[in-house]
Amino acid sequence: MHHPASYYQQLLTRYLDGNCTPAEVEELLAWLNTPEARRAALTTMQEDFERSMSTPVSVPEAMSNRVETRLLQEISKNKVVPMYQRRRNKWLAAAAAMTALVVSAGYFIKHHRVQSAAVQPIVHVTDIKPGSDKAILTLADGTQVTLDSAGHQVIAQGGTQIKQKNGQLQYVAGTNTTQAVTYNMLRVPRGGQFKVVLPDGTTVWLNAASSLRYPTAFTGSNRIVEIEGQAYFEVAQNSNKPFIVQAGKTTIQVLGTGFDIMSYPDEKEQRTTLVDGAVKVISGKTEKILKPGQQVALDNETGVATVQDADVQGVIAWKTGFFEFDNVSLATVLRQLGRWYDLDIDNRFLHNNSRLGGRISRNLPLSEILPMLKSAGADFHLNGRTLTVTAAEK
């Protein structure tokens, strides 16, 4: 029998309190394996934690991250990647996607008694801190400027002023519209992220291992930029001057909107996800027009483009400080970790078909991320900046 999500949320609450019968546990398991369970489970578990943490507590952020992670490892039945969210300087935690990161979906509920999930230490690891605000700006004359979260400076370039402050770059275009068009390149290395406000007011967030090439003034009939890697755009409205993003062989045309594009050369697909507004994605002879909440997935090998519904909040989680995985391979997870923690990943000896999911803070050090992935049947060894991944010993 199919019940509304509220019924299963109540059932999940009873389960967390230890009040479910065996039949109800099996019913809950069946529901948790359905796509619609994900957000409802997050809501229920977040509410559960809010009740238990309703007393305001002031804790340093780094310590809070660690405590929340440990708590979630205890209650997430040993096979779920913990995830949490901070609001108004209070602890909040949610083990959303309850079936996420479960190698065998049935394992989660069938081992429903709370097990002390002792975190296996990673042997011989010198810990690696998470990424931070940093980038390299290449000016039109080839001059390179190193940027970080602490820098405060004003760079003059022709008739344009560039202000750097608090991990953000902002362009202030001059009034001379006849000046020659020059281009800048903003490169974000592995282990970095950065935000730039373009001369027209468009804001771009760049993820790790990404680059953006753009003019210092939009003087023509179009506003054209080039992207490699991943970026989120909030495009300034100008119906007379369309905004165009070139990403490899793909062109995204937009008037004013918010959208995310993921175009890493080492990924199987290029993905454009629309948050609001409207965009047209053009690749060769293929044209796709997206509605909010939709995504174009373009296969980099075959060139086939598919429009599908997207979990928008999951797609842009990186922008708000999280990794979010939804039924992805371990190799996909490792590629993201490699970019954010500036790692070379060696997984040539790993033959693993596990599908993973979950939400993890990008503010945690690497030593707290890797134990969460051990349920995928992998062992990790870190040597300098090279992470070697092998099949776990049975």
Side-chain angles (χ1 to χ4, degrees):
M1 179 183 297
H2 181 73
H3 296 283
S6 58
Y7 167 82
Y8 295 105
Q9 287 178 285
Q10 293 175 5
L11 200 61
L12 179 56
T13 299
R14 292 181 57 199
Y15 169 76
L16 291 171
D17 293 336
N19 296 325
C20 273
T21 66
E24 288 173 332
V25 168
E26 294 303 323
E27 184 181 8
L28 182 60
L29 169 60
W31 175 70
L32 287 172
N33 278 290
T34 64
E36 62 268 20
R38 193 163 185 262
R39 291 294 173 192
L42 181 145
T43 299
T44 300
M45 295 210 58
Q46 182 162 317
E47 290 173 351
D48 186 72
F49 272 92
E50 287 178 357
R51 286 196 302 270
S52 64
M53 298 177 182
S54 57
T55 303
V57 181
S58 178
V59 187
E61 181 174 352
M63 182 182 298
S64 177
N65 287 348
R66 286 165 173 75
V67 172
E68 289 171 358
T69 297
R70 296 293 184 264
L71 284 171
L72 285 166
Q73 284 174 329
E74 288 296 321
I75 70 160
S76 61
K77 313 303 180 287
N78 206 26
K79 290 289 180 179
V80 181
V81 163
M83 44 202 288
Y84 61 88
Q85 215 169 23
R86 185 174 311 287
R87 291 181 184 171
R88 298 183 303 278
N89 201 28
K90 290 174 59 177
W91 293 3
L92 293 179
M98 297 281 289
T99 54
L101 260 196
V102 183
V103 178
S104 169
Y107 185 96
F108 169 64
I109 294 292
K110 291 179 180 177
H111 291 70
H112 62 278
R113 300 311 305 169
V114 175
Q115 300 174 7
S116 180
V119 177
Q120 298 297 323
I122 306 301
V123 186
H124 305 304
V125 167
T126 300
D127 207 0
I128 292 181
K129 294 181 179 180
S132 60
D133 293 329
K134 57 185 174 184
I136 297 173
L137 173 65
T138 303
L139 302 177
D141 63 0
T143 301
Q144 292 191 334
V145 182
T146 300
L147 310 173
D148 58 29
S149 59
H152 292 262
Q153 59 183 314
V154 177
I155 304 166
Q157 184 179 217
T160 302
Q161 274 194 345
I162 311 170
K163 298 180 180 180
Q164 180 203 355
K165 185 177 181 180
N166 299 331
Q168 174 178 300
L169 209 59
Q170 183 167 10
Y171 281 72
V172 182
T175 58
N176 183 4
T177 59
T178 62
Q179 66 185 25
V181 177
T182 59
Y183 286 82
N184 286 178
M185 174 77 80
L186 187 63
R187 294 185 182 276
V188 178
R190 294 191 314 187
Q193 61 184 8
F194 219 78
K195 179 181 176 182
V196 57
V197 180
L198 299 178
D200 66 333
T202 292
T203 303
V204 186
W205 288 259
L206 286 171
N207 203 352
S210 301
S211 64
L212 179 71
R213 183 176 182 267
Y214 50 93
T216 57
F218 293 106
T219 59
S221 58
N222 294 315
R223 296 171 288 167
I224 302 177
V225 302
E226 300 173 27
I227 179 72
E228 181 176 291
Q230 185 168 22
Y232 180 82
F233 290 81
E234 285 186 356
V235 178
Q237 290 278 358
N238 187 341
S239 58
N240 296 320
K241 189 175 289 189
F243 195 91
I244 297 174
V245 180
Q246 298 282 1
K249 297 179 180 180
T250 299
T251 300
I252 298 101
Q253 295 182 355
V254 55
L255 294 177
T257 191
F259 67 97
D260 181 277
I261 181 166
M262 189 273 289
S263 183
Y264 288 108
D266 60 345
E267 293 289 350
K268 182 178 184 296
E269 293 180 331
Q270 178 192 91
R271 297 188 178 186
T272 302
T273 307
L274 183 61
V275 177
D276 57 62
V279 298
K280 179 189 292 185
V281 181
I282 304 171
S283 179
K285 296 181 179 180
T286 301
E287 294 187 5
K288 302 289 185 181
I289 297 177
L290 295 184
K291 297 178 181 179
Q294 289 185 329
Q295 177 185 87
V296 170
L298 176 68
D299 191 298
N300 288 325
E301 293 182 2
T302 65
V304 175
T306 305
V307 176
Q308 56 199 20
D309 291 334
D311 177 2
V312 171
Q313 295 307 311
V315 170
I316 65 174
W318 67 271
K319 176 176 165 285
T320 54
F322 294 92
F323 296 105
E324 184 155 333
F325 310 115
D326 186 4
N327 192 33
V328 300
S329 67
L330 177 59
T332 298
V333 174
L334 292 171
R335 285 195 296 273
Q336 291 198 34
L337 295 182
R339 295 178 196 127
W340 185 235
Y341 291 93
D342 188 12
L343 299 171
D344 294 318
I345 306 295
D346 181 0
N347 60 350
R348 55 188 162 166
F349 302 112
L350 179 68
H351 303 286
N352 190 313
N353 295 321
S354 299
R355 309 298 294 182
L356 311 179
R359 187 176 174 98
I360 311 172
S361 171
R362 282 164 49 115
N363 294 322
L364 295 175
L366 184 65
S367 63
E368 301 210 17
I369 299 291
L370 296 183
M372 302 178 193
L373 303 179
K374 290 182 70 67
S375 64
D379 282 334
F380 306 90
H381 179 79
L382 186 66
N383 183 10
R385 289 278 173 177
T386 299
L387 181 67
T388 301
V389 189
T390 58
E393 297 182 2
K394 296 183 178 180

